[in-house]
Amino acid sequence: MQTHHLSCHRAHAPLSVTAVEVRWGLVGSWLQLRWRVEGAARVIVPPFAGRVRRDGLWQTTCFEMFVRPEGRQTYAEYNFSPSEAYAAYDFAGWREGMAERAISHAPVITPRRAAGVLIVDVAIPLADLPPLPAALSLTCVIEEEGDSKTFWAMDHGESAQPDFHQPACFAAALAAPECDEIRN
């Protein structure tokens, strides 16, 4: 498992959230991710929706992943809500040619909240990702009581406003699994 601490975009300061960490790794034929939000007592968690596909999840607390195959401009975006709703899109280039991405299985999204911490676990089949190896961007939008939204990413680059689609956000690498890893 790899761990990365996300940074909040400088244009939007959090009210109570103190840190966001994300861990990820390949387990058999699945990519598993865990976002951990510290200082989450005031974080707004959308109501339970079940494993349904839904647009606009980023308008409130939402966890996101972007995957860009090595050597390509095309990429996929995945949105995971603590409500257990999800979305998946393909892009032909930076914010161009958006289309719904076909996936074989709804991601498994498991939120937990206790003592000022919000944890959101996600498992998604490798078959539903673009070809690996790929550049990876893990991000989130956090909405807090008091009409505050913050935007967390591995890297924000020089952008004056948050933009998770920009190349600087793709700050990690997701390697292709070894054949033995897939069989386990």
Coordinates of all heavy atoms in Angstrom, one line a residue, residues 12-18 39 42 143-150 152:
H12 N -8.9 28.1 -0.7 CA -10.1 27.7 0.1 C -9.6 27.0 1.4 O -9.3 25.8 1.4 CB -10.9 26.7 -0.7 CG -11.4 27.2 -2.0 ND1 -12.6 27.9 -2.1 CD2 -10.8 27.2 -3.2 CE1 -12.7 28.2 -3.4 NE2 -11.7 27.9 -4.1
A13 N -9.6 27.7 2.5 CA -9.1 27.2 3.7 C -10.2 26.4 4.5 O -11.4 26.8 4.5 CB -8.7 28.4 4.6
P14 N -9.8 25.3 5.1 CA -10.8 24.5 5.8 C -11.2 25.1 7.1 O -10.4 25.9 7.7 CB -10.0 23.2 6.0 CG -8.6 23.5 6.0 CD -8.5 24.7 5.1
L15 N -12.4 24.8 7.6 CA -12.8 25.3 8.9 C -12.3 24.4 10.0 O -11.8 24.9 11.0 CB -14.4 25.4 8.9 CG -15.0 26.3 7.9 CD1 -16.5 26.2 8.0 CD2 -14.5 27.7 8.1
S16 N -12.5 23.1 9.9 CA -12.1 22.2 11.0 C -11.2 21.0 10.5 O -10.5 20.4 11.3 CB -13.3 21.7 11.7 OG -14.1 20.9 10.9
V17 N -11.3 20.7 9.2 CA -10.5 19.6 8.7 C -9.0 20.0 8.8 O -8.5 21.0 8.4 CB -10.8 19.3 7.2 CG1 -9.8 18.2 6.7 CG2 -12.2 18.8 7.2
T18 N -8.2 19.0 9.4 CA -6.8 19.3 9.6 C -5.9 18.5 8.7 O -4.7 18.9 8.5 CB -6.4 19.0 11.1 OG1 -6.8 17.6 11.4 CG2 -7.1 19.9 12.1
G39 N -10.2 15.7 11.7 CA -11.0 16.9 12.0 C -12.3 17.0 11.3 O -12.7 18.1 10.8
R42 N -17.3 18.5 11.5 CA -18.2 19.4 10.8 C -18.4 19.1 9.3 O -19.0 19.8 8.6 CB -17.7 20.8 10.9 CG -17.7 21.3 12.4 CD -17.2 22.7 12.5 NE -18.1 23.6 11.9 CZ -17.9 24.9 11.7 NH1 -16.8 25.5 12.2 NH2 -18.8 25.7 11.1
E143 N -17.0 19.2 2.0 CA -17.9 20.3 2.4 C -18.1 20.2 3.9 O -18.3 19.2 4.5 CB -19.2 20.1 1.7 CG -20.2 21.3 2.0 CD -21.5 21.2 1.3 OE1 -21.8 20.1 0.7 OE2 -22.2 22.2 1.3
E144 N -18.0 21.4 4.5 CA -18.1 21.5 6.0 C -19.3 22.4 6.3 O -19.7 23.3 5.5 CB -16.9 22.1 6.7 CG -15.7 21.2 6.5 CD -14.5 21.8 7.3 OE1 -14.4 21.6 8.5 OE2 -13.7 22.5 6.6
E145 N -19.9 22.2 7.5 CA -21.0 23.1 7.9 C -20.5 24.5 7.9 O -19.3 24.7 8.2 CB -21.4 22.7 9.4 CG -22.0 21.3 9.5 CD -22.1 20.8 10.9 OE1 -21.7 21.6 11.8 OE2 -22.6 19.7 11.1
G146 N -21.3 25.4 7.6 CA -20.9 26.8 7.5 C -20.6 27.2 6.0 O -19.9 28.2 5.8
D147 N -21.1 26.4 5.1 CA -21.0 26.7 3.7 C -19.5 26.8 3.2 O -19.1 27.8 2.5 CB -21.7 28.0 3.3 CG -22.0 28.1 1.8 OD1 -22.2 27.1 1.2 OD2 -22.1 29.2 1.3
S148 N -18.7 25.9 3.6 CA -17.3 25.9 3.3 C -17.0 24.6 2.5 O -17.3 23.5 2.9 CB -16.4 25.9 4.5 OG -15.1 25.6 4.2
K149 N -16.3 24.8 1.3 CA -15.8 23.7 0.5 C -14.3 23.8 0.4 O -13.8 24.9 0.1 CB -16.5 23.7 -0.9 CG -17.8 23.1 -0.9 CD -18.3 22.9 -2.3 CE -19.8 22.6 -2.3 NZ -20.4 22.8 -3.6
T150 N -13.6 22.7 0.6 CA -12.2 22.7 0.3 C -11.9 21.7 -0.7 O -12.6 20.7 -0.9 CB -11.4 22.5 1.6 OG1 -11.9 21.3 2.3 CG2 -11.6 23.6 2.6
W152 N -8.8 19.2 -2.0 CA -7.6 18.5 -1.6 C -7.0 17.7 -2.8 O -7.8 16.9 -3.4 CB -7.9 17.6 -0.4 CG -8.4 18.4 0.8 CD1 -9.7 18.9 0.9 CD2 -7.7 18.7 1.9 NE1 -9.8 19.5 2.1 CE2 -8.6 19.5 2.8 CE3 -6.4 18.5 2.4 CZ2 -8.2 20.0 4.0 CZ3 -6.0 19.0 3.6 CH2 -7.0 19.7 4.4

